[in-house]
């Protein structure tokens, strides 16, 4: 649906729709294969084979580590796009490109806890790791405004800025979020995304790209969506 919106509202090229199959087909096939495999396990007719299956499952669920992996269905294919088959930057070693972002609990500026997806809403999300991403984007901001991106500053646990509206520290058009339990921060660390970096999430919350090279991120967005040229962005100011 976000690709249809990109075409109808943001001027993206129709060829964007071709990426739906390349992105979704491998994961869909893997899920179907897992379902067929599970069906074959459940439907064993030979009594001896069925007893061996039951014994194996009994042992697996009682084995430390393996049991919890089975219970949480750890064998399910991960929602991660194949390299070169998705809309986004190429995946780097340890990179998060083409992977689904986490869904942790975060704290808003007013102190309320909320799920990350509910805090940022639908659409493109540009996250600055403990920095205003608009300051990092600079002249590229107009392109991200063109796709109606939401701008977020994500803070590690306990480092969220405090204050009241009007103190000059809260800026209009920016969502400040604190990673309450550190889940998002740990995920960023695993993928070599550091303080000062920008992380871009597609509307479906898959990672488009990250890093400090925002000109590369912007060029990739423009080229892969084939956007029309963006208009100049108006200056933004802190809320006073």
């Amino acid at each position: 649906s976000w690709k249809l919106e990109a075409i109808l509202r943001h001027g993206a090229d129709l060829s964007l729709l071709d990426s739906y199959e390349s992105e979704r087909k491998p994961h869909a096939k893997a899920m179907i294969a897992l379902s067929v495999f599970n069906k074959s396990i459940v439907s064993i007719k030979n009594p001896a084979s069925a007893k061996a299956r039951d014994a194996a499952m009994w042992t697996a669920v009682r084995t430390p580590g393996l049991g919890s992996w089975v219970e949480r269905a750890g064998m399910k294919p991960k929602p991660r796009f194949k390299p070169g088959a998705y809309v986004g930057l190429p995946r780097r070693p340890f990179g998060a490109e083409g992977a689904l972002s986490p869904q942790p609990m975060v704290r808003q500026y007013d102190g309320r806890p909320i799920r990350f997806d509910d805090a940022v809403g639908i659409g493109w999300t540009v996250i600055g790791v403990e920095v205003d991403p608009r300051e990092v984007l600079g002249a590229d901001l107009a392109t991200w405004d063109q796709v109606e991106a939401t701008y977020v500053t994500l803070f590690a646990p306990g480092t969220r800025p405090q204050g009241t509206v009007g103190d000059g520290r809260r800026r209009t058009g920016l969502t400040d979020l604190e990673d309450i339990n550190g889940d998002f921060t740990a995920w960023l660390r695993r993928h070599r995304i550091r303080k000062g970096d920008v992380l871009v999430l597609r509307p479906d919350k898959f990672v488009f790209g990250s890093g400090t090279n925002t000109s590369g991120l912007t060029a990739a967005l423009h080229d892969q969506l084939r956007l029309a040229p963006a208009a100049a962005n108006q200056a933004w100011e802190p809320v006073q």
Side-chain angles (χ1 to χ4, degrees), residues 62-90:
R62 288 163 177 78
T63 301
L66 179 59
S68 60
W69 180 81
V70 172
E71 290 176 356
R72 66 173 183 271
M75 71 292 295
K76 285 179 61 177
K78 298 296 185 292
R80 186 178 176 91
F81 298 139
K82 286 191 173 183
Y86 59 88
V87 176
L89 292 183

Side-chain angles (χ1 to χ4, degrees), residues 219-234:
L221 178 76
H222 185 276
D223 293 345
Q224 295 187 31
L225 271 63
R226 300 185 183 179
L227 296 173
N233 182 66
Q234 295 182 347

Side-chain angles (χ1 to χ4, degrees), residues 16-89:
L16 179 64
L17 298 180
D18 295 336
S19 64
Y20 178 78
E21 181 175 355
S22 65
E23 288 184 349
R24 296 302 308 154
K25 186 175 180 178
H27 188 251
K29 288 182 65 177
M31 289 296 293
I32 291 170
L34 177 63
S35 298
V36 173
F37 174 76
N38 287 337
K39 181 264 179 187
S40 64
I41 293 296
V42 171
S43 303
I44 291 176
K45 295 181 179 181
N46 182 279
S49 298
K51 288 183 179 180
R53 173 205 60 197
D54 294 345
M57 290 299 299
W58 187 93
T59 302
V61 297
R62 288 163 177 78
T63 301
L66 179 59
S68 60
W69 180 81
V70 172
E71 290 176 356
R72 66 173 183 271
M75 71 292 295
K76 285 179 61 177
K78 298 296 185 292
R80 186 178 176 91
F81 298 139
K82 286 191 173 183
Y86 59 88
V87 176
L89 292 183

Side-chain angles (χ1 to χ4, degrees), residues 16 65 79 90 97 99 132-133 159 161 164 179 195 211:
L16 179 64
E97 294 84 1
D132 187 336
T159 62
T164 58
D179 181 19
K195 181 177 178 180

Side-chain angles (χ1 to χ4, degrees), residues 15-211:
S15 61
L16 179 64
L17 298 180
D18 295 336
S19 64
Y20 178 78
E21 181 175 355
S22 65
E23 288 184 349
R24 296 302 308 154
K25 186 175 180 178
H27 188 251
K29 288 182 65 177
M31 289 296 293
I32 291 170
L34 177 63
S35 298
V36 173
F37 174 76
N38 287 337
K39 181 264 179 187
S40 64
I41 293 296
V42 171
S43 303
I44 291 176
K45 295 181 179 181
N46 182 279
S49 298
K51 288 183 179 180
R53 173 205 60 197
D54 294 345
M57 290 299 299
W58 187 93
T59 302
V61 297
R62 288 163 177 78
T63 301
L66 179 59
S68 60
W69 180 81
V70 172
E71 290 176 356
R72 66 173 183 271
M75 71 292 295
K76 285 179 61 177
K78 298 296 185 292
R80 186 178 176 91
F81 298 139
K82 286 191 173 183
Y86 59 88
V87 176
L89 292 183
R91 185 172 303 142
R92 304 161 299 153
F94 303 104
E97 294 84 1
L100 191 63
S101 66
Q103 165 71 305
M105 292 298 295
V106 293
R107 183 175 288 118
Q108 296 178 308
Y109 194 89
D110 60 8
R112 292 190 302 117
I114 188 173
R115 288 191 180 276
F116 176 80
D117 284 7
D118 293 329
V120 302
I122 61 175
W124 290 86
T125 305
V126 182
I127 304 170
V129 182
E130 300 192 37
V131 68
D132 187 336
R134 298 171 300 180
E135 294 179 349
V136 184
L137 289 170
D140 295 326
L141 189 59
T143 300
W144 297 97
D145 282 346
Q146 184 178 354
V147 296
E148 303 178 72
T150 296
Y151 301 105
V152 176
T153 300
L154 182 70
F155 294 90
T159 62
R160 167 180 164 270
Q162 305 297 318
T164 58
V165 175
D167 63 5
R169 298 175 62 186
R170 185 183 185 190
R171 289 172 166 171
T172 183
L174 180 68
T175 301
D176 283 340
L177 298 175
E178 177 193 356
D179 181 19
I180 299 176
N181 300 316
D183 297 332
F184 212 143
T185 303
W187 182 86
L188 293 173
R189 191 180 302 115
R190 286 198 304 272
H191 292 292
R192 309 299 194 267
I193 301 171
R194 301 174 175 85
K195 181 177 178 180
D197 284 353
V198 168
L199 171 68
V200 176
L201 304 182
R202 306 181 339 174
D204 55 6
K205 300 303 181 285
F206 277 83
V207 176
F208 181 82
S210 65

